[in-house]
Amino acid sequence: MLNTVMDALQGFGVTTTHYLQTNYEDAQGLFLWVSWAADLRNTFFIFFPLWIHLRASVAIKLIWVAVIGDWLNLVFKWILFGERPYWWVHEASYYDNSVRPHIEQYPMTCETGPGSPSGHAMGAAAVYYTLVTSILAIMISKKKIGVKKSTKNEWYLKVILWSVFWAVQVCVCLSRVFIAAHFPHQVIAGVITGMIVAEAFNRTQWIYSASMKNYFLTTLFLTSFAVGFYLLLKAVGVDLLWTLEKAQKWCVRPEWVYLDSTPFASLLRNMGTLFGLGLGLHSPLYTESKKKSTSMGQKLVCVVSSLVLLHLFDSFKPPTHTAALFYLLSFCKSALSRWSPSVSSRTW
């Protein structure tokens, strides 16, 4: 019964992908750009350096939401064993008595992990939900301390921000379905779980005063849990990397199967990000800089310098010939990328 329901859902998903690719072929460039923009990399390399100088609490929450959300996404994927359209359409018995739809593939199609829930949809929902609620909270706090704003203007702001939020979610979902990386039910699940994670952190206060020991132990626990879960299931005969073989088999171009899209690559990248944030926030330079008052002009200089610095970091691509070395360097790169904006440019 469950297999029948899933086949129907996935069959509908493939039909949706085929419809979008056939009728909106001219929007290919837009859909590919949206998938690129929705990647968590842009949260780490754009939103974080922007907010760490304008409102550090928002930057801290963004990193926690992104890292924990993506970690949960990895665990959910390992539990749910979700297929992806670009390989499912070739293997499903659903099409044994009918013609298999032709599905186009793109450079961002050949993700190597399981498909449910969508990591891009979950990440975008979590990050933009955090941004919207944080901006609204800042505006409300300003109103309470004497900055008068009419209720009507506040209502307009809420409508605009939430309209932008849902427009982003719709675009991300359509993009992931268009490129055949996800089925519709997977992106919907991603949006819902992303919002839940973000709302949970809206109610969490300890992250703003977390010690370096907290950061270290959290990083160690999350890494150990994921690796331990993988090894435990592997010991009982469950291969959690079963999707890598499917990606290599069905991707039309081998060079589109990227090592940095594998589950362990995202795990080490996120753990490096969290650990680097802890190092940055507890460095003497950052602690000293918080005591200084800075003008908006100085903050903007810091933002620009951080963006330039992180662009240089991002241009470094770890070698992929050895997976273990790639994972190690990805961890170090992510840690340094979070540490540097918190420290170096705060000293202006």
Side-chain angles (χ1 to χ4, degrees):
M1 179 63 179
L2 180 59
N3 288 338
T4 302
V5 172
M6 291 307 301
D7 279 348
L9 272 176
Q10 289 164 172
F12 169 76
V14 168
T15 300
T16 304
T17 296
H18 184 263
Y19 174 83
L20 289 174
Q21 291 184 351
T22 302
N23 293 277
Y24 296 94
E25 184 179 2
D26 293 342
Q28 171 187 330
L30 174 62
F31 284 131
L32 290 175
W33 180 84
V34 169
S35 272
W36 171 84
D39 194 284
L40 280 181
R41 181 190 306 273
N42 294 305
T43 297
F44 300 147
F45 285 88
I46 297 177
F47 290 143
F48 173 74
L50 173 65
W51 283 100
I52 193 63
H53 303 296
L54 300 180
R55 179 79 61 145
S57 60
V58 177
I60 293 170
K61 183 162 62 172
L62 278 173
I63 294 297
W64 278 92
V65 165
V67 168
I68 300 301
D70 207 43
W71 181 85
L72 286 172
N73 181 262
L74 173 63
V75 174
F76 288 153
K77 283 180 175 179
W78 278 350
I79 293 174
L80 297 176
F81 283 77
E83 304 278 354
R84 289 187 184 268
Y86 78 91
W87 73 59
W88 182 84
V89 69
H90 296 289
E91 299 181 343
S93 59
Y94 183 79
Y95 297 107
D96 283 352
N97 298 318
S98 59
V99 177
R100 295 179 188 273
H102 174 70
I103 299 298
E104 295 288 343
Q105 294 183 16
Y106 305 93
M108 297 181 185
T109 297
C110 301
E111 299 277 356
T112 59
S116 188
S118 166
H120 278 71
M122 186 171 173
V127 167
Y128 281 88
Y129 188 95
T130 298
L131 289 174
V132 169
T133 53
S134 295
I135 293 172
L136 290 175
I138 292 170
M139 299 307 296
I140 291 173
S141 67
K142 285 185 176 181
K143 184 178 180 180
K144 286 181 178 178
I145 62 175
V147 180
K148 295 182 179 180
K149 283 187 177 291
S150 68
T151 303
K152 190 175 182 180
N153 288 344
E154 189 176 316
W155 184 83
Y156 283 151
L157 179 63
K158 288 182 179 179
V159 169
I160 291 172
L161 290 178
W162 285 116
S163 296
V164 170
F165 171 82
W166 284 112
V168 169
Q169 305 319 308
V170 170
C171 289
V172 171
C173 291
L174 289 175
S175 169
R176 302 305 288 170
V177 173
F178 176 88
I179 67 174
H182 288 289
F183 297 102
H185 68 277
Q186 294 174 341
V187 294
I188 293 172
V191 171
I192 294 172
T193 50
M195 292 173 64
I196 291 173
V197 170
E199 182 58 31
F201 275 95
N202 280 345
R203 303 167 186 269
T204 304
Q205 297 300 315
W206 68 267
I207 58 174
Y208 306 112
S209 58
S211 64
M212 188 61 231
K213 181 180 179 181
N214 294 144
Y215 277 95
F216 174 76
L217 291 178
T218 303
T219 302
L220 181 62
F221 169 76
L222 295 177
T223 306
S224 300
F225 184 94
V227 174
F229 187 54
Y230 168 78
L231 294 176
L232 176 63
L233 291 187
K234 187 175 182 179
V236 297
V238 179
D239 181 15
L240 292 178
L241 299 182
W242 59 278
T243 55
L244 182 58
E245 181 181 346
K246 289 182 179 289
Q248 293 169 336
K249 179 179 180 180
W250 293 114
C251 190
V252 295
R253 299 182 64 173
E255 64 269 24
W256 288 352
V257 180
Y258 306 111
L259 185 58
D260 65 356
S261 73
T262 59
F264 281 112
S266 65
L267 174 67
L268 271 296
R269 186 165 56 243
N270 288 328
M271 293 306 99
T273 293
L274 188 62
F275 187 67
L277 176 65
L279 289 175
L281 294 179
H282 292 89
S283 67
L285 285 174
Y286 182 82
T287 304
E288 184 65 27
S289 70
K290 288 196 298 182
K291 301 175 182 178
K292 302 176 182 178
S293 60
T294 54
S295 65
M296 181 55 67
Q298 289 173 310
K299 289 181 179 180
L300 291 177
V301 170
C302 289
V303 169
V304 173
S305 62
S306 292
L307 290 172
V308 172
L309 182 63
L310 287 180
H311 178 73
L312 294 176
F313 276 126
D314 196 33
S315 64
F316 168 70
K317 306 298 181 184
T320 58
H321 59 274
T322 304
L325 178 62
F326 176 84
Y327 296 150
L328 175 61
L329 292 178
S330 293
F331 177 91
C332 295
K333 174 185 175 181
S334 296
L336 191 58
S337 297
R338 297 294 73 73
W339 173 84
S340 55
S342 304
V343 176
S344 60
S345 57
R346 292 283 295 199
T347 61
W348 276 81

